[in-house]
Coordinates of all heavy atoms in Angstrom, one line a residue:
I2 N 13.1 -1.4 -1.9 CA 14.5 -1.1 -1.6 C 14.7 0.3 -1.1 O 15.5 0.6 -0.3 CB 15.4 -1.5 -2.7 CG1 16.8 -1.6 -2.3 CG2 15.2 -0.6 -3.9 CD1 17.2 -2.7 -1.5
A3 N 13.9 1.3 -1.6 CA 14.1 2.7 -1.3 C 13.8 2.9 0.2 O 14.5 3.7 0.8 CB 13.2 3.5 -2.1
N4 N 12.9 2.2 0.7 CA 12.5 2.4 2.1 C 13.5 1.7 3.1 O 13.7 2.1 4.2 CB 11.1 1.9 2.4 CG 10.5 2.6 3.6 OD1 10.7 3.8 3.8 ND2 9.6 1.9 4.3
L5 N 14.3 0.7 2.6 CA 15.3 0.0 3.4 C 16.4 1.0 3.8 O 16.9 0.9 4.9 CB 15.9 -1.2 2.7 CG 15.0 -2.4 2.6 CD1 15.6 -3.5 1.8 CD2 14.6 -2.9 4.0
W6 N 16.9 1.8 2.9 CA 18.0 2.6 3.1 C 17.7 4.0 3.6 O 18.5 4.9 3.7 CB 18.9 2.7 1.8 CG 19.3 1.3 1.4 CD1 18.8 0.7 0.3 CD2 20.2 0.5 2.0 NE1 19.4 -0.5 0.2 CE2 20.2 -0.7 1.3 CE3 20.9 0.5 3.2 CZ2 21.0 -1.8 1.6 CZ3 21.7 -0.6 3.5 CH2 21.7 -1.7 2.8
N7 N 16.4 4.3 3.8 CA 16.0 5.6 4.3 C 16.2 5.7 5.8 O 15.9 4.8 6.6 CB 14.5 5.8 3.9 CG 14.0 7.2 4.1 OD1 14.6 8.0 4.7 ND2 12.9 7.4 3.4
T8 N 16.7 6.9 6.3 CA 16.9 7.0 7.7 C 15.7 7.4 8.4 O 15.6 7.3 9.6 CB 18.0 8.2 7.9 OG1 17.5 9.4 7.3 CG2 19.3 7.8 7.4
S9 N 14.6 7.7 7.8 CA 13.3 8.0 8.4 C 12.2 7.3 7.6 O 11.5 7.9 6.8 CB 13.0 9.5 8.5 OG 13.0 10.1 7.2
P10 N 12.1 5.9 7.7 CA 11.2 5.2 6.9 C 9.7 5.6 7.2 O 9.4 6.0 8.3 CB 11.4 3.7 7.3 CG 12.2 3.8 8.6 CD 12.9 5.1 8.7
Q11 N 8.9 5.6 6.2 CA 7.5 6.0 6.3 C 6.6 4.8 6.1 O 7.0 3.8 5.5 CB 7.2 7.1 5.2 CG 7.9 8.4 5.4 CD 7.5 9.3 4.3 OE1 7.1 8.9 3.2 NE2 7.7 10.6 4.6
S12 N 5.4 4.9 6.7 CA 4.5 3.8 6.5 C 3.5 4.1 5.3 O 3.5 5.3 4.9 CB 3.6 3.6 7.8 OG 2.9 4.7 8.1
S13 N 2.8 3.2 4.8 CA 1.9 3.4 3.7 C 0.7 4.2 4.2 O 0.3 4.2 5.3 CB 1.3 2.0 3.2 OG 2.3 1.3 2.6
G14 N 0.2 5.0 3.2 CA -0.9 5.9 3.5 C -2.3 5.3 3.1 O -3.2 6.0 3.1
G15 N -2.3 4.1 2.7 CA -3.5 3.4 2.2 C -3.4 2.0 1.9 O -2.3 1.4 2.2
M16 N -4.4 1.4 1.3 CA -4.3 0.0 1.0 C -5.2 -0.4 -0.1 O -6.2 0.4 -0.4 CB -4.6 -0.9 2.2 CG -6.0 -0.8 2.8 SD -6.3 -1.9 4.1 CE -5.1 -1.6 5.3
T17 N -5.0 -1.5 -0.8 CA -5.8 -2.0 -1.8 C -6.9 -2.9 -1.2 O -6.6 -3.8 -0.4 CB -5.1 -2.8 -2.8 OG1 -4.1 -2.0 -3.4 CG2 -6.0 -3.3 -3.9
L18 N -8.2 -2.6 -1.5 CA -9.3 -3.4 -1.0 C -9.9 -4.2 -2.2 O -10.1 -3.6 -3.2 CB -10.4 -2.5 -0.4 CG -10.0 -1.5 0.7 CD1 -11.2 -0.7 1.1 CD2 -9.5 -2.3 1.9
E19 N -10.2 -5.4 -1.9 CA -10.8 -6.3 -2.9 C -12.3 -6.5 -2.5 O -12.6 -6.9 -1.4 CB -10.1 -7.6 -3.0 CG -10.7 -8.5 -4.1 CD -9.9 -9.8 -4.3 OE1 -8.8 -9.9 -3.8 OE2 -10.5 -10.7 -4.9
F20 N -13.2 -6.2 -3.4 CA -14.6 -6.3 -3.1 C -15.2 -7.6 -3.6 O -14.6 -8.3 -4.4 CB -15.4 -5.1 -3.7 CG -15.0 -3.8 -3.1 CD1 -14.1 -3.0 -3.7 CD2 -15.6 -3.4 -1.9 CE1 -13.7 -1.8 -3.2 CE2 -15.2 -2.2 -1.4 CZ -14.3 -1.4 -2.0
E21 N -16.4 -8.0 -3.1 CA -17.0 -9.3 -3.4 C -17.2 -9.5 -4.9 O -17.3 -10.6 -5.4 CB -18.2 -9.5 -2.6 CG -18.0 -9.7 -1.2 CD -19.2 -10.0 -0.4 OE1 -20.3 -10.1 -1.0 OE2 -19.1 -10.2 0.8
D22 N -17.4 -8.3 -5.7 CA -17.6 -8.5 -7.1 C -16.3 -8.7 -7.9 O -16.3 -8.8 -9.1 CB -18.4 -7.2 -7.6 CG -17.5 -5.9 -7.5 OD1 -16.4 -6.0 -7.1 OD2 -18.0 -4.9 -7.9
G23 N -15.2 -8.8 -7.2 CA -13.9 -9.1 -7.8 C -13.1 -7.8 -8.1 O -12.0 -7.9 -8.6
S24 N -13.7 -6.6 -8.0 CA -12.9 -5.4 -8.3 C -12.0 -5.1 -7.1 O -12.2 -5.5 -6.0 CB -13.9 -4.3 -8.5 OG -14.7 -4.0 -7.3
E25 N -10.9 -4.3 -7.4 CA -10.0 -3.9 -6.5 C -9.8 -2.4 -6.6 O -9.8 -1.8 -7.7 CB -8.6 -4.5 -6.7 CG -8.6 -6.0 -6.5 CD -7.2 -6.6 -6.7 OE1 -6.3 -5.9 -7.1 OE2 -7.0 -7.8 -6.4
H26 N -9.7 -1.7 -5.5 CA -9.5 -0.3 -5.4 C -8.5 0.1 -4.4 O -8.5 -0.4 -3.3 CB -10.8 0.4 -5.1 CG -11.9 0.2 -6.0 ND1 -12.0 0.9 -7.2 CD2 -13.0 -0.6 -6.0 CE1 -13.0 0.5 -7.9 NE2 -13.6 -0.4 -7.2
F27 N -7.5 1.0 -4.8 CA -6.5 1.5 -3.8 C -7.1 2.7 -3.2 O -7.5 3.7 -3.9 CB -5.2 1.8 -4.5 CG -4.2 2.3 -3.5 CD1 -3.5 1.4 -2.7 CD2 -4.0 3.6 -3.4 CE1 -2.6 1.9 -1.8 CE2 -3.0 4.1 -2.5 CZ -2.3 3.2 -1.7
L28 N -7.2 2.8 -1.9 CA -7.8 3.9 -1.2 C -6.9 4.4 -0.1 O -6.3 3.6 0.6 CB -9.2 3.6 -0.6 CG -10.3 3.2 -1.6 CD1 -11.5 2.6 -0.8 CD2 -10.6 4.3 -2.4

């Protein structure tokens, strides 16, 4: 909701990756 009302919306600077062993890491 905070990004909806922002006059200068920003994009994400990373993403969560899921590896074959089942672990997840945000990078």
Side-chain angles (χ1 to χ4, degrees):
I2 194 72
N4 209 32
L5 286 176
W6 303 110
N7 194 340
T8 57
S9 58
Q11 296 178 336
S12 61
S13 291
M16 64 175 56
T17 300
L18 302 178
E19 183 176 342
F20 295 97
E21 289 183 4
D22 66 1
S24 65
E25 293 183 354
H26 297 280
F27 181 80
L28 297 171

